[in-house]
Amino acid sequence: MRSGIALPRHRATTAHLCSAYPFAAELGLGTHGVYLGSNLLTGGGGFAFDPFEAYTAGIVTNPNMLIAGEPGVGKSATAKTFIHRSVGVFGRWVAIADPKGEYLLLAESLGLTVIKLHPGGSCRINPLDPGPNPPSDAAERVRRQADMLGTLLGTVLHRDLTPVEDAVLGGAMQHLDRAGITAPTLADVAAITVAPTADMVPTSVGLDDLARSVEAIPYALGKLLDRSLRGMFDGPTNVAIDWNGPGLVIDLSAVHHDSEALTLVLVATTAWLQNLIATPGGPRRLQVLDEAWALLGTERTSKYLQACWKLSRSYGVANLAIVHRLSDLRSQSDDGTSASKVSMGLLADTQTRVLFRQSTDQVAEAGALLGLTSTEAQLLPRLVKGRALWKVAGRSAVVAHTIAAHERELCDTDAAMSQR
């Protein structure tokens, strides 16, 4: 005979059994945030997220986000619905760098200002603008401007600046500041580096020899001033920003076909946006960088992006980077060790990772970069469209994202392929 109490066998669905066995399901992140869909690890319960609410609750130590996934798996739709609901429901202010012109319908729906930049166009932004609330420390402002210029010039030249070039560039920015020019243009920098003066940098050689040693700087700036990208960054900013509105979209689709030009434009645009939104107080802000691979292709631009990320908490800004492959996070420098450090530093400042389907050759990279468990890594190639693995600090969720009927048109990036 069997001892103990004999009970009849009971059958039920997993959705009901999770209430009888509560430790078989994830706790989830709670309800404070934008509703995005259902969490398959909590028995299909609702999944909501907001980077600022997560920061306030102590779940994350920074509000930055990364969305990665192959084309056509739903990452753009998730980004757009997240932005649509964050701005429309939570009242967030958003700035979007849009390399493909995919956010124009979203801009129309939310009433975002659209700035269309293209060579020879009428809209112009100055990447050296200190913004509406510049640092009180002039030396800090000059340092940031010089860092951005160094990244921009290094990208054009496909190399790091020489010590002499770096010294002259820093001296040029200090010279312009002493002259009372707090918002110099790229043309101002090009003009002064053509003929550097003795007060810009101590030198044991003649000024003519000094000018020859840095002659690459004005030539490199010429790409932005009077060659392929003229009219976009070659003067003072001439666009107005509505701070009482919901935000803006910068349409960069005119240069999307040229990867080198796109990298340059994204560096300059990110610099301008960073200074623009670096204003304490006011609504919490989102900065969205689509096609962020263009800034992750070299160690130089990756470091610049990381520097921008580090300022997020000070300014109440959550940065959202969107890439295709996890391997995009490996900068293509000569030294794999330094590249790895840049990648790790950027990821440390991005605690919310949203991972859509990745090809099987990306699984090992994902596991190494993100510290995924073997189960999580093996899940990535099997995720269907619209589902993603969310890694929020030490917590995990598998989310089936929901698109509302009125949002479908905003999220359709296959319209051209589906026309009959």
Side-chain angles (χ1 to χ4, degrees):
M1 290 182 60
R2 290 182 300 172
S3 60
I5 302 175
L7 296 176
R9 189 170 301 219
H10 177 73
R11 291 184 178 183
T13 65
T14 54
H16 291 90
L17 283 176
C18 71
S19 63
Y21 299 94
F23 301 108
E26 285 277 344
L27 176 64
L29 297 176
T31 59
H32 297 289
V34 174
Y35 174 76
L36 292 168
S38 55
N39 184 355
L40 304 184
L41 299 185
T42 61
F47 180 83
F49 181 78
D50 178 77
F52 302 103
E53 293 290 341
Y55 180 81
T56 301
I59 297 173
V60 296
T61 57
N62 67 70
N64 301 318
M65 300 175 62
L66 169 74
I67 297 181
E70 295 178 337
V73 296
K75 65 180 183 300
S76 293
T78 296
K80 289 171 185 174
T81 53
F82 173 72
I83 295 166
H84 192 247
R85 298 167 196 178
S86 294
V87 175
V89 178
F90 275 61
R92 307 301 189 213
W93 195 93
V94 64
I96 304 171
D98 180 12
K100 293 188 289 188
E102 287 187 352
Y103 290 81
L104 300 183
L105 285 177
L106 179 67
E108 182 180 349
S109 175
L110 292 174
L112 306 177
T113 300
V114 175
I115 301 173
K116 187 173 180 61
L117 293 180
H118 59 89
S122 58
C123 291
R124 184 173 60 240
I125 62 176
N126 177 16
L128 295 176
D129 261 344
N133 188 43
S136 56
D137 183 0
E140 175 64 14
R141 170 175 49 78
V142 170
R143 184 193 65 78
R144 290 185 196 173
Q145 291 170 329
D147 284 349
M148 190 281 300
L149 277 172
T151 302
L152 201 62
L153 290 168
T155 302
V156 177
L157 297 170
H158 300 287
R159 61 171 174 80
D160 292 331
L161 299 185
T162 67
V164 175
E165 289 171 334
D166 185 66
V168 168
L169 190 63
M173 300 309 300
Q174 293 173 2
H175 177 89
L176 291 168
D177 180 66
R178 288 193 295 268
I181 305 174
T182 58
T185 65
L186 297 181
D188 293 330
V189 177
I192 197 171
T193 52
V194 166
T197 58
D199 69 327
M200 285 170 50
V201 58
T203 178
S204 58
V205 301
L207 293 179
D208 290 341
D209 291 334
L210 181 63
R212 280 191 291 272
S213 66
V214 297
E215 62 185 3
I217 291 179
Y219 282 116
L221 287 173
K223 186 177 182 71
L224 294 161
L225 296 174
D226 52 27
R227 296 203 300 277
S228 59
L229 300 179
R230 67 188 183 282
M232 301 171 71
F233 309 104
D234 53 0
T237 300
N238 64 356
V239 295
I241 304 301
D242 180 9
W243 285 104
N244 295 317
L248 59 91
V249 171
I250 303 181
D251 181 1
L252 308 174
S253 56
V255 297
H256 181 255
H257 62 283
D258 185 339
S259 60
E260 180 183 2
L262 179 60
T263 300
L264 287 171
V265 169
L266 274 177
V267 169
T269 301
T270 303
W272 184 71
L273 285 176
Q274 196 71 21
N275 290 329
L276 184 71
I277 62 182
T279 305
R284 288 168 169 172
R285 288 158 285 230
L286 298 170
Q287 178 177 231
V288 181
L289 298 179
D290 207 337
E291 301 288 316
W293 58 264
L295 290 177
L296 296 169
T298 68
E299 182 183 352
R300 185 184 311 108
T301 51
S302 295
K303 283 183 175 179
Y304 179 72
L305 185 62
Q306 183 185 358
C308 294
W309 253 227
K310 286 185 177 295
L311 297 174
S312 58
R313 286 184 301 174
S314 301
Y315 300 142
V317 176
N319 297 288
L320 171 56
I322 304 173
V323 300
H324 293 306
R325 299 172 300 275
L326 271 303
S327 57
D328 289 339
L329 296 171
R330 294 285 192 192
S331 52
Q332 304 301 311
S333 67
D334 294 331
D335 186 343
T337 302
S338 62
S340 178
K341 289 180 179 178
V342 173
S343 299
M344 292 301 101
L346 185 63
L347 283 173
D349 293 320
T350 311
Q351 285 191 301
T352 301
R353 298 92 177 255
V354 186
L355 309 176
F356 287 84
R357 186 174 67 229
Q358 296 283 314
S359 60
T360 53
D361 64 344
Q362 296 292 309
V363 171
E365 191 85 28
L369 282 170
L370 305 176
L372 302 181
T373 66
S374 59
T375 302
E376 290 170 340
Q378 292 169 11
L379 175 67
L380 291 184
R382 302 202 300 267
L383 290 168
V384 299
K385 182 176 181 179
R387 292 187 180 182
L389 171 65
W390 282 67
K391 294 287 292 182
V392 183
R395 307 189 187 189
S396 301
V398 177
V399 181
H401 298 98
T402 301
I403 303 175
H406 67 281
E407 293 174 324
R408 292 196 177 278
E409 186 180 7
L410 308 179
C411 300
D412 186 7
T413 57
D414 296 324
M417 295 295 292
S418 60
Q419 289 177 354
R420 296 184 179 180

